[in-house]
Amino acid sequence: MPSRPTAHRGLLAVICACVVLVVGMVAAINLAVPMLAASALHPSASALVWIVDTYVIVFACLVIPGGAAGDRFGRKGVLLSGLGLFAVGALISAAAPNVALLLAGRAVTGIGAAAVLPNTLAVLLHAVPAQRKSATIAVWASMTGIGGVVGNVGGGVILSGGSWRWLFAAAVPIALLLAALVARIAPVSPRHDRRLDPLGAVLLVGASVALLLGIVQGPEAGWDSGIVIAGFACAAVLFAVWTIVELKVEHPLLDPRLLRLPALRSSCLGMTAVFFGMFALFYVNASFLQYGKGFGVLRTGLGIIPLTIPIILGAKHVGRLAQRIGLDATTALAFVFVGGGLLGLSTSDARTPYVAYAAWLVVMGVGVTLALPTLSGAIAGSLPPEQAGVAAGLQATTREFGSALGVAVIGTVLTARFVAALPPDIRADHDPHTVAQALASGHTDDVVAAFVSGADDGLRAIGVLVLISGVLVVLQSLLSRRGSDRRAKDLDASSPSSSRTTTSSPSLVDHTS
C-alpha cells in the first residue's frame, strides 16, 4: 500500500492533469480555427468566434456556482460529474454534423470545466496536511498557466493528424481516465450547507452571451441591425437585473458590493485586461502562423512557446521586484510590456522573420509574468482570509471572461478589416467573411495579404485597449491610496491614538507581502 506522501503526490499529479485538461482546451481550439473554416460545416466568421467562445463564456460564468455546488453536494462527486460532462460535451463536438450541435457540445464541455476547476483545489486542500497547503496551492496555480502551453503544443500534435474532430475525440478518453483515477484516489470531503444561486448564474450567463452576441455579429449583420442592437440592449438589462438580484439574495453568486473595494475593482479589471490581450493573441496567432507564415499546425502550436519563457524563468523573481519598486510600478510595467508586445506583433507580416515575431512574444510574456502574480496577490489581499474562496472564484471568472471578450473583440475587428482589405472583385463575386471562403476565389496572395492586414489591425486595437486599461488600473490604485492616506491623516489629527493601518482602504500598494 503506498505511503501517505506518495499518495499525496499521486493525487496532486492527477488533479494537476485535470486542471491542464480544462484550461488547455481554452487555448487548443484556436489552432483548429483554419481547419474548421475550411471544413464541411462551412461556419461563418461569427460562428468561428462562437465555437471558440461558447466554452470559455460558460466556463467563466459557472465556475463560482461550480465551487458552490461542490461545497453543497460533495467536492469529489461534483468533480467527477464535471469530468463526465466534459467527456460528453467533447464527444458531441467530435461527432457534430453541423455548427449548432458543435456549439451545444462546446457549452456542455464548458459546464463540465466549470465543475472541475474549483473543485480540484478544494479536493487537494482537504487531502494535504496544513504544512503543505501553501506549496500545493502554488503548484495548482502554476497549472493554470502551464495548461495554455500544453493546450497549444498538445493541440498541435493532435491536429497534425488532419482533422479538427480529433481534438475533441482525444479529450474524451483523457477525461474518462482522469475520472477513474479521481474516483480511486481522491478522498471524500465534508459537505457544507452553502446555498446555490441558480437565478444569478442564469442571468450572468445570459447577460454575457447577449454582450458577445452584439460584439460578434456586428461585422456580418451590421452595427445598426436588430440583432446587434437587441444583443447590447439585452446585455444591459440582464446585467442590471443580475446586480439587483445579487444585492438582495442571501447567498449571492458574486456580491457586487465587493467591487466597492478600490483595490479589488482595479485588480479585477487588470486581470480581465491581461487575459483579454493574451487570448486575443492566441486567436490571431494560430491563424497568422498558418495562413501568413505557412506553418503546419504542429509548428504553429510550438510557435507560441517564446511567450512562456519569461513566465518559466521570471515568475519567482516578481515578488522581489514588487517589493523594490512597489506594486503600482510593477503593474504599470506589466501593462507597458503586454500592450507594447501586442503593438509590436501588429507590425508583423508574411515577410517578417519568425525570430522577430518571437521576440515580440517574449516582450509580451514579460508583461504577463509581471501581471499575473501581482494582480492575483492584490485580489487575494483585498479580501479577508475567510473569503479566500470568493477571491479564487473572482480570479477564475475575470480570467475566463477576459479571454472570451478578447476573442470576440479581435474576431470582430479581424473580420471587418479583412473583408475591407480584400480586392473589390473578390468581395463582389464571393462575399467572403472567412479566409477559407475567400481562398475559393483562387487569389491566394491577395487573400493572405488581406488577412495579415486585418490581423495587424486587430492586434493594434487590442494593444491600445490593454494600455488604456493599464492606465485605468494604476490610476484607480493611486487615487485609492491617496484617499486612504488623506483619511488616515484626518483621523490622526482628530484622534492621535488611532492606528493608521486600521482605517486605510486596500490598494495595490498595500499588499507587498
Side-chain angles (χ1 to χ4, degrees):
M1 187 161 180
S3 65
R4 187 171 294 275
T6 302
H8 287 159
R9 285 194 293 270
L11 177 62
L12 179 61
V14 171
I15 291 298
C16 287
C18 293
V19 175
V20 168
L21 175 65
V22 299
V23 174
M25 185 59 79
V26 179
I29 186 61
N30 295 293
L31 295 170
V33 167
M35 287 185 181
L36 282 160
S39 72
L41 299 185
H42 302 299
S44 64
S46 60
L48 286 171
V49 174
W50 281 114
I51 290 169
V52 176
D53 257 0
T54 299
Y55 172 81
V56 185
I57 199 65
V58 173
F59 189 1
C61 294
L62 297 185
V63 70
I64 294 178
D71 289 343
R72 184 172 180 84
F73 302 115
R75 291 149 184 171
K76 180 178 178 178
V78 174
L79 173 55
L80 289 171
S81 299
L83 288 168
L85 283 172
F86 191 95
V88 170
L91 184 61
I92 294 172
S93 299
N98 52 53
V99 171
L101 200 57
L102 176 56
L103 292 177
R106 295 286 285 160
V108 173
T109 313
I111 296 171
V116 168
L117 187 64
N119 289 293
T120 52
L121 182 59
V123 166
L124 267 182
L125 293 181
H126 173 70
V128 301
Q131 64 270 22
R132 296 183 58 188
K133 288 189 187 301
S134 296
T136 300
I137 291 172
V139 172
W140 179 89
S142 69
M143 291 302 109
T144 62
I146 292 172
V149 181
V150 173
N152 274 287
V153 177
V157 172
I158 294 168
L159 290 168
S160 61
S163 172
W164 59 268
R165 296 183 186 275
W166 292 12
L167 178 64
F168 301 113
V172 177
I174 296 173
L176 293 177
L177 174 61
L178 290 174
L181 292 171
V182 168
R184 180 176 177 82
I185 65 176
V188 175
S189 56
R191 302 183 185 186
H192 303 284
D193 189 19
R194 180 180 174 184
R195 295 188 180 179
L196 303 180
D197 180 18
L199 179 58
V202 170
L203 288 171
L204 185 58
V205 172
S208 301
V209 169
L211 174 62
L212 294 185
L213 180 69
I215 295 172
V216 172
Q217 295 298 136
E220 290 188 13
W223 293 104
D224 58 349
S225 65
I227 188 172
V228 172
I229 294 173
F232 287 132
C234 285
V237 171
L238 289 173
F239 273 124
V241 173
W242 174 79
T243 302
I244 294 169
V245 168
E246 294 299 276
L247 289 172
K248 291 183 176 182
V249 73
E250 184 179 357
H251 298 282
L253 169 71
L254 179 61
D255 192 343
R257 285 175 287 248
L258 290 174
L259 297 180
R260 292 176 181 172
L261 297 171
L264 190 63
R265 187 168 60 243
S266 60
S267 49
C268 284
L269 171 62
M271 188 71 80
T272 301
V274 169
F275 277 81
F276 173 84
M278 189 160 58
F279 277 82
L281 169 65
F282 286 169
Y283 185 76
V284 166
N285 170 77
S287 296
F288 175 80
L289 291 182
Q290 291 180 69
Y291 289 136
K293 305 293 289 179
F295 284 14
V297 68
L298 176 56
R299 193 177 176 191
T300 299
L302 296 171
I304 199 67
I305 286 180
L307 186 144
T308 68
I309 293 173
I311 299 174
I312 295 170
L313 299 180
K316 61 183 178 181
H317 302 296
V318 175
R320 288 198 295 272
L321 177 66
Q323 289 179 346
R324 178 172 298 180
I325 68 174
L327 289 182
D328 283 327
T330 305
T331 303
L333 202 58
F335 277 98
V336 168
F337 275 98
V338 173
L342 287 165
L343 293 178
L345 288 164
S346 74
T347 63
S348 302
D349 58 28
R351 298 183 301 274
T352 301
Y354 173 73
V355 172
Y357 186 82
W360 286 116
L361 289 176
V362 172
V363 170
M364 186 173 174
V366 171
V368 173
T369 304
L370 293 171
L372 295 188
T374 305
L375 295 170
S376 295
I379 291 174
S382 299
L383 295 172
E386 59 269 20
Q387 290 187 291
V390 175
L394 268 174
Q395 292 193 46
T397 300
T398 53
R399 285 199 308 262
E400 302 306 329
F401 188 78
S403 302
L405 199 57
V407 170
V409 172
I410 202 164
T412 297
V413 176
L414 172 59
T415 300
R417 300 308 301 161
F418 165 66
V419 172
L422 286 170
D425 58 327
I426 297 180
R427 294 204 305 271
D429 295 340
H430 298 271
D431 189 27
H433 283 83
T434 68
V435 177
Q437 291 169 351
L439 287 173
S441 68
H443 298 79
T444 303
D445 291 342
D446 290 337
V447 172
V448 170
F451 171 80
V452 170
S453 174
D456 287 345
D457 287 344
L459 288 172
R460 198 169 297 119
I462 297 294
V464 170
L465 289 172
V466 167
L467 289 173
I468 292 172
S469 299
V471 171
L472 294 175
V473 168
V474 176
L475 186 61
Q476 168 73 73
S477 180
L478 290 172
L479 291 175
S480 169
R481 178 159 54 90
R482 185 174 300 174
S484 299
D485 291 344
R486 187 182 302 114
R487 287 192 298 272
K489 288 179 181 178
D490 292 343
L491 186 59
D492 284 345
S494 61
S495 178
S497 61
S498 297
S499 170
R500 177 170 306 205
T501 58
T502 60
T503 59
S504 59
S505 298
S507 76
L508 286 175
V509 222
D510 293 327
H511 306 292
T512 54
S513 57

